[in-house]
Amino acid sequence: MEKYIIANWKMNPDDLVKAKSLLASVEIGLTDNDKKVVICPPVIFLRDLRQIVNKCQLGAQNAYFEKQGAFTGEISVGMLKDAGCDYVILGHSERRQYFGEADGAVNKKVLAVLASGMRPVVCLGEQERQAENIGEILKKQLTTILSGVAKQKLKEVVLVYEPIWAISTTPNSQPCLPDDALTVYLFLRKMLIQTYGQGAADKISILYGGSVGAKNAADYIQISQFNGFLVGSASLKSEEFIKIVKI
Ligand code: PEP
């Protein structure tokens, strides 16, 4: 499976000049070998960043599954591809919390993104720490969001485990212990193997997201075995983000 570091800039920074400057300062610290660094800025900045991006790839933070039509405020997968995107984050917890997105809609988006040739970066994770039924919650999410994904397409999906209670902007957020994250990593891998078979399941990248910084990144890679990260707050600080990529 591939290794990725994916930056979710969310609704930041607040203007194009700052967005260009942030991208430039990240790229200064990268080498040509850091190929799987994906920057997901606000969609309005995509076309301008495409003009200056050099070492990173670009992604969006959401997409709509219909091709075109009367869907006010939405942006289709085809439009994102046309704007220079290779990846689309789907099912992020903030989309679920503030915009009412459920697993069924996320699934339609996953299928649309795969059909376009881009790669979906699909988030799942439990709301509360020490949820008793975490296995059931994750199994249900995984089954629904990947429903209808053909076995040969699985390698194009990037899965992200994001325990919502560990995301830095969640009130009273707490770090997820690397050993606990390992348990979930192994659980997700096992579920994928059961559903798709070892060969196909081994090709899917499973990333971790939730308060990742330069101080804890090594633990989530070495102890928890994840294949990279989805990084929120720390992706807005170029020096720290570059350190995470190097780790
Ligand atoms: C996120 O919201 O996807 C995320 C990982 O945020 P942070 O790194 O700030 O916890």
Side-chain angles (χ1 to χ4, degrees):
M1 77 288 293
E2 315 244 34
K3 294 196 169 143
Y4 293 97
I5 305 292
I6 302 182
N8 178 8
W9 284 3
K10 307 192 181 183
M11 204 169 74
N12 300 292
D14 60 2
D15 66 41
L16 177 62
V17 173
K18 289 181 196 147
K20 283 181 168 175
S21 152
L22 178 57
L23 177 62
S25 60
V26 166
E27 290 215 316
I28 281 172
L30 301 180
T31 67
D32 288 339
N33 294 331
D34 299 320
K35 287 231 163 48
K36 295 289 177 191
V37 176
V38 181
I39 305 290
C40 302
V43 73
I44 187 93
F45 300 149
L46 271 171
R47 279 184 191 279
D48 290 278
L49 296 187
R50 183 168 66 165
Q51 304 300 322
I52 58 165
V53 73
N54 187 16
K55 296 171 190 151
C56 303
Q57 292 177 287
L58 292 174
Q61 301 168 17
N62 184 32
Y64 196 55
F65 49 82
E66 295 287 356
K67 287 195 169 71
Q68 67 178 94
F71 304 103
T72 301
E74 293 297 321
I75 295 174
S76 76
V77 161
M79 292 168 189
L80 291 174
K81 198 172 178 195
D82 188 49
C85 268
D86 292 307
Y87 296 81
V88 186
I89 299 173
L90 297 172
H92 189 275
S93 62
E94 286 149 20
R95 298 289 321 163
R96 295 170 186 266
Q97 183 185 350
Y98 300 125
F99 305 101
E101 250 180 51
D103 291 330
V106 176
N107 173 245
K108 287 184 184 172
K109 294 179 178 196
V110 169
L111 297 175
V113 170
L114 283 174
S116 76
M118 295 189 292
R119 294 188 168 202
V121 177
V122 201
C123 305
L124 78 172
E126 76 283 6
Q127 186 77 42
E128 283 165 29
R129 191 172 194 193
Q130 286 162 348
E132 276 174 21
N133 51 348
I134 174 170
E136 270 168 53
I137 296 170
L138 296 177
K139 186 174 176 187
K140 192 165 168 284
Q141 286 185 349
L142 191 67
T143 311
T144 309
I145 58 184
L146 293 187
S147 171
V149 174
K151 200 172 170 174
Q152 64 273 21
K153 282 273 184 188
L154 199 66
K155 60 178 184 305
E156 287 158 38
V157 175
V158 181
L159 210 57
V160 189
Y161 171 56
E162 288 211 310
I164 297 165
W165 48 269
I167 292 178
S168 69
T169 45
T170 301
N172 307 316
S173 75
Q174 297 168 34
C176 178
L177 298 176
D179 282 333
D180 293 343
L182 171 64
T183 307
V184 173
Y185 175 84
L186 296 174
F187 174 80
L188 293 172
R189 262 290 156 232
K190 188 170 150 203
M191 278 211 46
L192 290 165
I193 291 168
Q194 280 170 357
T195 313
Y196 295 96
Q198 185 97 44
D202 280 352
K203 293 196 181 104
I204 186 167
S205 305
I206 308 180
L207 315 189
Y208 175 76
S211 300
V212 171
K215 288 201 179 112
N216 60 13
D219 288 345
Y220 289 118
I221 296 289
Q222 283 156 16
I223 301 172
S224 319
Q225 300 184 19
F226 282 92
N227 315 124
F229 301 119
L230 179 60
V231 185
S233 304
S235 72
L236 299 170
K237 301 172 207 148
S238 54
E239 275 183 31
E240 172 140 33
F241 185 67
I242 291 163
K243 280 186 196 160
I244 297 170
V245 173
K246 298 300 171 194
I247 288 165

